[in-house]
Amino acid sequence: MKKIAQDQTRYDVIVVGSGAAGCVVASHIAENSALRVALIEAGGMDGNPLVKLPAGFAKILQHDKFMWRYETVPVHGARRAYRSGKILGGGTSVNAMCYVRGQPEDYDAWQAVAGKEAAWSYRDMLPHFLAQEGNDLRGGPYHGTEGPLKTRLTPMISDLNALCVRAFQEYGLPFNDDYNGASQRGVSPVQVNIHDGRRCSAVDAYLREHIRSGRVTLITNAFATKVLFEGSRASGVEVQRAGNTLTLHADEVILSAGAIQSPRILMHSGIGPADALRSNDIPVKVASEEVGENLQDHPIFCLRAYVKGDLGYQKISKGLGAARIGLRYLLTKDGPAAGNCIETVSHWDPRDLAGRPTVQCYHVPVISEDGLVPTGSRSGVTLELVLLQPKSRGWVRLAGKDPAAMPLINPNFMGHEDDLALAVEAVRAGRSILQQPAFRAVIEEELEPGADQQSDEEIAAWIKKVVNTMWHPVGTCRMGDDEHSVVDGRLRVRGVTGLRVIDASIMPEPVSGNTSAPTQALARNGAMMFLEDREHLANWTGDAGSAAPLSLFSPVRVFSEWRARQHARRHRDS
Ligand SMILES: Cc1cc2nc3c(=O)[nH]c(=O)nc-3n(C[C@H](O)[C@H](O)[C@H](O)COP(=O)(O)OP(=O)(O)OC[C@H]3O[C@@H](n4cnc5c(N)ncnc54)[C@H](O)[C@@H]3O)c2cc1C
């Protein structure tokens, strides 16, 4: 690789990764301070029309250009595709746009491990969700209407999805028109980040205006290989761009590269499990044994059944049908193409219908071999079963010294026997739902698991064969107030200064639902902490001998929202 002269610009802060978290972090800092912010993104711009077309998301996932095409190590004997977004906006430019926050217990569990210095409980996190959300329909205690992240109910509910809703009710679940409200439990229409028939990514919601105004310097197609240090203080980032190696300097670095790349960058910077670093010829800066460990992901396994006639979207997803949908979208910005084709969902516990949901089930009105693009001409329904609080833990490890090498990823799906036992019960529940009166007249035949899989052992073996990622990796830079955690409750990397991780990787436990909205909310919390800590240091008047060098800090312009929050916190704590 050719070495070129160093970039002479010194940024106050470099954010690595422009995904769900990175967009929020860079924008929040730019909006609430005078700091010079650089945002580094390995992927390119998000201008492809398929990115904005809600129904285009399945097609986008097949484009190598927009995706990190990872693969797992063999899990139950087979490698599994493990994609994530490599594009401005990261996951939020390629994901299915479902807006789900999880359950209050999730955040209270974060608070329990994060320590007193930080505010992560549901009570603390709800204001972040409210501030970010721009719901077109409802406000009240659980929804924001003025925020930039546009949210709405699914624009369509297909005939087949209407049957799903009825069948789940017949099974015993209540209808719940708002799973982000007082309770998640029930069968519900999906809430999506779609506005005016277009995807609302984190770039649209937060970042674009700051790129235009120049308050955030965006550098795309730039792959960050490692963090640079002066002593134990982060001083910049090394990136590879267009065949060159470039050094960018900053007072502080924030990694928002997601749950696979953030631990990878830490390890290549010398922060990670000591033996693993040494065996890859990487000098150990900080022995931090849990970097890359604790990988959690929601496992998904799908029941599929053929249905009679033209129900659902199978027939209209091809040929003339597709042309008609496309034309309707162009003329009216509505119809199936204006949505993600995932229109209803249920959250419940197959062991206790009245209890805390442990399973999520999206109802998809098509049959697809790869879970994305409809295959074959027979109409059908797919029940996507997902465990919400998996106990299995996997890891992300280095495959070698080359930073560009694909890391080793082991999601360890169904590695914990409790997960497998619950998954078997979820399959049995799914089958029972397909036999409810609403479905009786329309179901033709179960395709998967199929009539041969009846005993617990047979169902368990089938689950191990088909289980895959719901695309929700989290936990690989675990937050905690214990010394083994990778980051502390304020998301500072242990053992060094000037370096934070703010993205899905810091989640100590999974959230009970999709991870985009929770990651955006945690990023806002993390960005506020970053600014609070800078102001605290800038105002510090104690013994200079033990302080961080004040000259490194430029003045922070503090805006009213941040001030109000500090005031409220002081008031609460007094
Ligand atoms: C196909 C798919 C469907 C999904 N569907 C949903 C859904 O419907 N609802 C939902 O809530 N969640 C969904 N998710 C999950 C959600 O999008 C992620 O949880 C979320 O985006 C994670 O945010 P993040 O900021 O941690 O990482 P990301 O959003 O992945 O952002 C990381 C960014 O960092 C960049 N990057 C990585 N490494 C480097 C490097 N070395 N140098 C420079 N840049 C780098 C990446 O290119 C990326 O842009 C889906 C995810 C996928 C992949």
Side-chain angles (χ1 to χ4, degrees):
M1 178 126 339
K2 203 170 99 192
K3 197 97 182 164
I4 65 163
Q6 296 186 355
D7 180 347
Q8 293 310 311
T9 317
R10 185 170 187 106
Y11 299 98
D12 293 302
V13 56
I14 293 176
V15 180
V16 177
S18 71
C23 285
V24 173
V25 170
S27 304
H28 192 86
I29 295 172
E31 218 163 273
N32 294 285
S33 77
L35 299 175
R36 283 159 301 166
V37 184
L39 180 59
I40 312 293
E41 170 54 48
M45 294 301 287
D46 61 345
N48 188 302
L50 280 177
V51 173
K52 291 296 148 210
L53 175 70
F57 100 92
K59 289 249 184 296
I60 275 286
L61 299 185
Q62 295 167 332
H63 273 264
D64 280 358
K65 195 175 151 196
F66 303 126
M67 304 301 297
W68 297 91
R69 295 193 77 89
Y70 300 124
E71 199 176 59
T72 68
V73 300
V75 181
H76 306 299
R79 293 181 191 276
R80 290 148 214 254
Y82 211 78
R83 305 181 181 105
S84 68
K86 185 181 185 182
I87 182 173
L88 183 63
T92 70
S93 288
V94 303
N95 70 19
M97 298 157 284
C98 299
Y99 180 78
V100 185
R101 296 177 185 165
Q103 302 168 4
E105 293 91 329
D106 303 332
Y107 302 99
D108 292 344
W110 292 8
Q111 182 65 72
V113 298
K116 290 203 180 98
E117 266 196 296
W120 291 104
S121 71
Y122 180 65
R123 199 173 135 228
D124 294 302
M125 292 296 283
L126 185 58
H128 296 296
F129 285 110
L130 298 187
Q132 289 179 326
E133 185 185 13
N135 196 301
D136 74 333
L137 196 60
R138 50 184 152 209
Y142 297 108
H143 289 280
T145 53
E146 303 303 318
L149 182 66
K150 302 300 176 200
T151 309
R152 56 163 296 165
L153 283 177
T154 176
M156 291 274 296
I157 293 194
S158 76
D159 44 10
L160 197 42
N161 283 82
L163 290 181
C164 289
V165 172
R166 208 172 332 139
F168 269 90
Q169 287 176 283
E170 289 164 349
Y171 172 70
L173 262 192
F175 181 76
N176 175 359
D177 78 340
D178 183 10
Y179 53 72
N180 288 319
S183 164
Q184 191 188 49
R185 192 172 66 87
V187 53
S188 316
V190 166
Q191 298 170 35
V192 285
N193 295 129
I194 295 175
H195 184 57
D196 281 344
R198 289 162 64 84
R199 171 192 294 274
C200 179
S201 70
V203 187
D204 303 315
Y206 315 100
L207 185 70
R208 220 174 291 281
E209 63 178 283
H210 298 301
I211 304 174
R212 278 197 208 108
S213 71
R215 299 188 69 180
V216 172
T217 304
L218 173 68
I219 308 174
T220 53
N221 298 305
F223 175 72
T225 52
K226 61 180 179 182
V227 180
L228 303 167
F229 291 91
E230 281 164 17
S232 63
R233 180 168 194 93
S235 61
V237 176
E238 183 183 277
V239 303
Q240 293 175 355
R241 188 164 196 249
N244 298 308
T245 299
L246 180 62
T247 303
L248 302 173
H249 301 283
D251 293 346
E252 302 200 43
V253 174
I254 297 176
L255 298 182
S256 298
I260 305 301
Q261 283 283 335
S262 283
R264 203 278 305 148
I265 296 170
L266 284 181
M267 288 188 270
H268 276 106
S269 312
I271 301 172
D275 288 346
L277 297 188
R278 280 191 206 103
S279 66
N280 285 296
D281 290 332
I282 298 170
V284 179
K285 184 156 199 69
V286 179
S288 182
E289 299 303 317
E290 289 199 27
V291 173
E293 300 300 304
N294 197 38
L295 173 63
Q296 305 149 53
D297 195 353
H298 294 128
I300 177 173
F301 40 100
C302 300
L303 250 79
R304 301 178 214 274
Y306 288 126
V307 299
K308 291 184 181 144
D310 290 350
L311 287 169
Y313 291 155
Q314 197 83 12
K315 299 249 162 77
I316 58 168
S317 64
K318 295 191 184 119
L320 248 185
R324 262 196 223 113
I325 291 176
L327 190 64
R328 177 173 171 186
Y329 176 79
L330 284 176
L331 294 175
T332 63
K333 285 274 187 311
D334 72 4
N340 59 5
C341 303
I342 307 169
E343 297 163 348
T344 53
V345 65
S346 29
H347 298 92
W348 88 106
D349 181 358
R351 291 166 176 164
D352 173 12
L353 276 186
R356 178 184 177 192
T358 54
V359 168
Q360 181 189 55
C361 177
Y362 283 105
H363 322 142
V364 186
V366 295
I367 298 284
S368 160
E369 268 167 22
D370 65 358
L372 298 170
V373 179
T375 36
S377 56
R378 272 179 89 178
S379 297
V381 62
T382 300
L383 296 185
E384 296 186 346
L385 295 163
V386 176
L387 301 192
L388 287 173
Q389 301 109 16
K391 294 182 180 170
S392 307
R393 298 290 180 265
W395 41 256
V396 173
R397 293 181 186 158
L398 295 184
K401 201 181 172 181
D402 177 8
M406 187 183 293
L408 303 173
I409 302 171
N410 178 9
N412 193 24
F413 296 130
M414 302 296 153
H416 195 292
E417 60 186 6
D418 291 354
D419 290 352
L420 193 56
L422 178 60
V424 170
E425 299 216 30
V427 170
R428 291 202 181 285
R431 275 182 164 160
S432 147
I433 288 151
L434 291 177
Q435 284 157 13
Q436 296 301 315
F439 270 137
R440 235 173 258 151
V442 300
I443 299 283
E444 282 187 330
E445 164 195 0
E446 181 182 299
L447 180 62
E448 278 193 289
D452 292 350
Q453 324 295 330
Q454 291 302 336
S455 69
D456 282 359
E457 292 71 27
E458 286 163 345
I459 296 172
W462 170 79
I463 290 168
K464 285 184 181 175
K465 190 170 133 222
V466 301
V467 65
N468 213 331
T469 173
M470 184 64 177
W471 303 307
H472 295 165
V474 306
T476 49
C477 299
R478 177 178 74 82
M479 160 178 73
D481 73 344
D482 63 294
E483 62 186 27
H484 300 295
S485 61
V486 178
V487 296
D488 66 13
R490 299 183 73 77
L491 309 187
R492 297 171 292 210
V493 175
R494 289 185 184 279
V496 291
T497 53
L499 179 61
R500 291 176 199 241
V501 180
I502 306 183
D503 62 23
S505 71
I506 65 98
M507 295 186 194
E509 298 287 337
V511 284
S512 305
N514 306 55
T515 41
S516 184
T519 303
Q520 291 174 50
L522 78 81
R524 188 170 186 272
N525 201 19
M528 282 182 165
M529 290 181 193
F530 168 85
L531 288 177
E532 285 167 4
D533 292 346
R534 274 192 79 106
E535 189 199 37
H536 176 72
L537 277 171
N539 291 341
W540 187 83
T541 53
D543 172 15
S546 60
L550 295 185
S551 59
L552 282 179
F553 295 91
S554 53
V556 177
R557 184 152 47 98
V558 182
F559 281 64
S560 54
E561 181 197 19
W562 179 38
R563 279 259 183 251
R565 187 184 147 94
Q566 285 186 311
H567 181 76
R569 191 177 274 172
R570 253 178 251 129
H571 186 69
R572 198 180 63 208
D573 295 343
S574 63

